[in-house]
Amino acid sequence: MDSVLETQRNLHEERERLIEAMTKETIAEKRSHKALINSQHRVRKFADRYIDATAELEKLYEDTTKERETEIEAISGPNEFAEFYSRLKTLKDHHKRVAEESASCHSLDFQKIMAEIADPEREEPEMITFTDEEGYGRFLDLYAAYDKYLNLKGVKRIDYITYLGLFDKFQDLNKQTTKKTGAYREYVQSLKDYIVDFMQRTRPMLDVEGQLERAAADVERLWDQGGVPGWSEQSLQGAMAAGPQPVAIDLANVNSPKELETYGLERLKGALKAAGLKCGGTLKERAERLFASKSANLTEEQKAALKDGGDRGALKNKQLATMEMQIKTLVNMIGEEREATKENVERKQARGGAAEESEEEEDIVLEPEVEEIDDGIPYNPKNLPLDWDGKPIPYWLYKLHGLNISYSCEICGNQKYKGPKAFQRHFSEWRHSHSMRCLGIPNTAHFMNVTKIAEALALWNKLKKDQEMARWNPDLDEEYEDSAGNVVNKRTFDDLKRQGLL
């Protein structure tokens, strides 16, 4: 079964099935964020298979080995029927040898894929690796970059939530750190690597490399004009320092540094600049440096030692500006994850400890000091809620929010709530509403702050009586007027009428 035409037919069939699979996968219902991420990665795998099949087809159509041309001539020649039956026999023999695979492998593969796509209740596997903080692509995990940011020289110490709002505002950082150090370059590089990796994991169909190239092209276009945010001064200084283009010296006929000294300081300086070498020093040093560049056997260390430090500094600044622009471009695409990360961190900080029982103040008993083993768990004898850094919040803040006071609700099955804020909020939550429905009582504003079952039932009975009394009663509320102009209700009017007193 090594027919070129049959191979081409199989590849065309695979491409059509892949297009169908990508279409159905794209329009299929996604019931969770995890399902959405996995779906995008499945579509990416289908697209990669489609590209590979197309590349293979292109090679077959180019027919560099002339196999396709030979096969077409064989089936279109004077013995086409003999060739047809010969190929038919070969096909039957092939399927007899592999009877269990008589159905197309591609067909079985795609039937399984289509069945999985059509099943919305399928269990989603862990296709991509995410950290616990990332929540399978819903949030960013910038703690490592945040630690490097705090270790930079000359930056203001901020908390993690504030950092999430300004980690891409490099123009503000440039004003604080006038000189870019190696630590800053390492910080920007690590931040870029993480964001690129995060984008590739959460948006597999996005051309991340194309976005990076467009950002680099923008920096290249704006650099000499001083239009790169935060780098206008450095780029303009580099353009001014460049000045007119220096003229090189032909070293082919120069046999010693002494001959080069005859050109003078300025001429040697221009030739060194043209060669991209350091241009400072005395006349003798410049001549020796320029003559040394004539040798074709210089090592990389020697070439690097001859390079001009100023030019390298300008190039490093440009590379740094390019990385900053690339980070800004990518961060603009993950604004939703950025805001969700802020909310998630704030929610974690506001959330109390996991213990549900009441925590009353207890007298502190002094015990003999014992050598403690640091197991990474913070000392928290009162079981206080943890702050964003994993340490217990201050006790005064714990008492300020009333978290040391427990409130019990009999309607919710004697559930306890820490602090007045959680207690007030629980009246509108599902547990309290469900318990009120079980008692046959609507969960309205009348029952706010009512936690006893007997009190709730008594209040409900009183409300029902008040509703009955407020309801329209014709015998009492309908009014009649007699001939004398007296206004009475219906019951009184009927009594007087029966007695003949009207």
Side-chain angles (χ1 to χ4, degrees), residues 148-185:
K148 291 185 178 181
Y149 174 85
L150 293 181
N151 290 325
L152 293 178
K153 182 179 180 181
V155 299
K156 183 179 178 182
R157 297 189 67 85
I158 55 177
D159 57 19
Y160 184 60
I161 295 181
T162 307
Y163 174 76
L164 288 173
L166 54 78
F167 69 86
D168 61 333
K169 295 180 173 57
F170 299 105
Q171 61 272 17
D172 298 337
L173 191 63
N174 291 342
K175 297 176 183 178
Q176 300 174 7
T177 55
T178 56
K179 182 180 180 181
K180 295 296 179 289
T181 60
Y184 179 78
R185 176 178 293 273

Side-chain angles (χ1 to χ4, degrees), residues 5-205:
L5 295 180
E6 180 65 18
T7 304
Q8 287 182 324
R9 189 203 64 76
N10 285 333
L11 290 173
H12 279 293
E13 178 187 1
E14 182 179 3
R15 291 169 79 243
E16 292 177 1
R17 289 180 180 272
L18 286 169
I19 292 176
E20 181 184 6
M22 285 189 284
T23 304
K24 290 188 176 182
E25 182 66 52
T26 303
I27 65 177
E29 180 184 4
K30 285 84 176 176
R31 298 188 176 183
S32 64
H33 180 79
K34 183 178 182 180
L36 178 62
I37 296 293
N38 287 348
S39 174
Q40 294 179 5
H41 279 278
R42 281 190 286 267
V43 172
R44 178 58 186 266
K45 289 182 178 179
F46 295 154
D48 291 340
R49 286 181 61 179
Y50 184 91
I51 294 172
D52 294 341
T54 304
E56 187 66 24
L57 268 175
E58 184 178 3
K59 291 180 181 179
L60 293 176
Y61 277 115
E62 289 176 356
D63 196 19
T64 55
T65 60
K66 303 300 181 180
E67 292 181 7
R68 182 172 180 271
E69 181 180 348
T70 304
E71 188 170 344
I72 292 176
E73 291 177 354
I75 63 176
S76 60
N79 299 323
E80 64 271 13
F81 289 106
E83 181 69 21
F84 170 78
Y85 286 112
S86 173
R87 288 175 179 271
L88 179 61
K89 182 178 182 300
T90 304
L91 186 66
K92 288 181 179 180
D93 293 341
H94 171 75
H95 286 291
K96 284 180 182 178
R97 288 195 304 270
V98 286
E100 68 279 2
E101 298 179 5
S102 58
S104 173
C105 296
H106 288 309
S107 299
L108 295 175
D109 185 19
F110 282 105
Q111 285 176 8
K112 181 179 178 182
I113 291 174
M114 295 303 178
E116 291 179 354
I117 295 175
D119 182 14
E121 302 296 335
R122 62 182 173 183
E123 183 179 355
E124 291 292 342
E126 300 283 343
M127 294 181 63
I128 308 299
T129 303
F130 289 95
T131 64
D132 294 338
E133 289 290 335
E134 289 173 333
Y136 212 82
R138 290 185 298 162
F139 314 116
L140 298 171
D141 185 6
L142 293 174
Y143 282 104
Y146 172 64
D147 292 338
K148 291 185 178 181
Y149 174 85
L150 293 181
N151 290 325
L152 293 178
K153 182 179 180 181
V155 299
K156 183 179 178 182
R157 297 189 67 85
I158 55 177
D159 57 19
Y160 184 60
I161 295 181
T162 307
Y163 174 76
L164 288 173
L166 54 78
F167 69 86
D168 61 333
K169 295 180 173 57
F170 299 105
Q171 61 272 17
D172 298 337
L173 191 63
N174 291 342
K175 297 176 183 178
Q176 300 174 7
T177 55
T178 56
K179 182 180 180 181
K180 295 296 179 289
T181 60
Y184 179 78
R185 176 178 293 273
E186 181 182 352
Y187 159 71
V188 176
Q189 183 65 53
S190 64
L191 182 60
K192 174 192 168 184
D193 292 342
Y194 172 76
I195 294 178
V196 169
D197 179 61
F198 183 81
M199 293 284 287
Q200 291 173 344
R201 287 180 292 155
T202 57
R203 291 166 175 79
M205 296 302 294

Side-chain angles (χ1 to χ4, degrees), residues 301-339:
E301 292 77 6
Q302 290 172 337
K303 291 180 181 179
L306 294 173
K307 290 293 181 182
D308 191 345
D311 292 343
R312 285 187 296 167
L315 180 60
K316 287 183 179 180
N317 287 341
K318 193 173 183 180
Q319 293 173 349
L320 202 54
T322 301
M323 286 193 291
E324 292 179 356
M325 182 67 75
Q326 290 171 340
I327 291 173
K328 290 179 183 179
T329 302
L330 297 181
V331 169
N332 290 335
M333 301 179 184
I334 54 174
E336 184 178 347
E337 288 86 347
R338 186 179 188 176
E339 294 301 322

Side-chain angles (χ1 to χ4, degrees), residues 16 26 35 147 246 257 391 398 428 431:
E16 292 177 1
T26 303
D147 292 338
K391 298 180 181 179
Y398 175 76
S428 59
R431 188 193 300 273

